[in-house]
Amino acid sequence: MGELVTVSDRFQKKYRYSRTKPVGREFDPRFQPDLTPKEMLQLGVFGGLYMSDQPKEFPRSWFVKAKLTKDKKTHAELNYFQILASQPLQIWRNNGWIYKDDPRGWFQWYCRYYMGRRISGEDDRQIKRWRAMRRHIAQVQKNCRKGDFACHTKQRQALLHWAYDSRKF
């Protein structure tokens, strides 16, 4: 069955899941993110607010160099591209984009997937959402010179939120 994880934090109480795959391996072949959750947190995502409570279900090492806020507010300067490029969690909830087992959203799903959790059906849905973000890669490549990180910063930051590394193109 795998390692059983129990989560009790400000978003979930006594939520349990199993980690059935090795950490960071055996991903669906359609899902090949450029960045690990740890790398994303170190680069700066979600204005430093997301995961600022450092959930105990994830390795402590993920948070050592993470750019996180201490005041429970979103800060553009903590993002890699110094711009806010996400909507408040409430908008995600209102649009039905939040899966019940991952109340923090896509990044929480990715963190748990990375750690070895698999959920039939939900993994497919999230991978389709991740793949849909590739349309932004085409826009950055079409409109920006390679290495011009000041070009399309909002799209670049949004791609970073989805584990795409736009510094590569």
Side-chain angles (χ1 to χ4, degrees):
M1 191 74 180
E3 176 189 2
L4 186 64
V5 176
T6 302
V7 178
S8 287
D9 61 22
R10 65 187 187 132
F11 286 87
Q12 292 175 302
K13 299 295 180 221
K14 298 181 183 175
Y15 169 68
R16 300 177 94 177
Y17 67 91
S18 292
R19 293 177 176 163
T20 59
K21 301 291 182 188
V23 173
R25 297 185 27 226
E26 296 186 28
F27 285 15
D28 183 300
R30 299 169 300 152
F31 182 57
Q32 301 297 319
D34 296 332
L35 300 163
T36 67
K38 178 181 178 179
E39 290 169 331
M40 292 171 66
L41 290 167
Q42 288 177 346
L43 286 171
V45 288
F46 310 108
L49 185 58
Y50 203 105
M51 299 278 191
S52 62
D53 59 333
Q54 302 182 23
K56 293 181 181 14
E57 72 183 284
F58 304 118
R60 176 75 187 112
S61 64
W62 286 13
F63 304 104
V64 172
K65 294 183 180 178
K67 294 182 179 178
L68 300 173
T69 182
K70 294 179 182 5
D71 64 7
K72 297 184 180 165
K73 293 180 183 173
T74 304
H75 296 274
E77 66 273 12
L78 293 175
N79 281 341
Y80 184 82
F81 292 100
Q82 308 281 301
I83 192 166
L84 296 178
S86 57
Q87 299 171 325
L89 188 57
Q90 191 58 47
I91 290 174
W92 289 77
R93 288 180 182 132
N94 292 345
N95 286 317
W97 298 332
I98 302 292
Y99 176 65
K100 65 178 177 59
D101 287 356
D102 298 322
R104 297 176 192 240
W106 183 87
F107 186 58
Q108 184 175 43
W109 169 85
Y110 175 40
C111 291
R112 289 172 172 173
Y113 187 92
Y114 184 88
M115 293 301 297
R117 183 190 72 175
R118 299 295 184 267
I119 299 176
S120 180
E122 181 58 13
D123 292 347
D124 286 333
R125 184 181 81 90
Q126 295 290 15
I127 290 168
K128 285 177 188 171
R129 293 177 69 220
W130 174 79
R131 290 174 59 91
M133 287 299 294
R134 291 194 294 193
R135 70 185 186 278
H136 294 287
I137 293 172
Q139 288 296 312
V140 171
Q141 289 175 326
K142 178 182 174 185
N143 295 299
C144 301
R145 290 185 323 275
K146 186 175 175 90
D148 182 1
F149 301 139
C151 179
H152 283 258
T153 55
K154 196 164 195 172
Q155 281 183 305
R156 288 178 181 275
Q157 187 66 43
L159 285 164
L160 183 61
H161 291 175
W162 287 83
Y164 287 103
D165 191 351
S166 73
R167 299 172 302 168
K168 294 180 178 180
F169 46 83

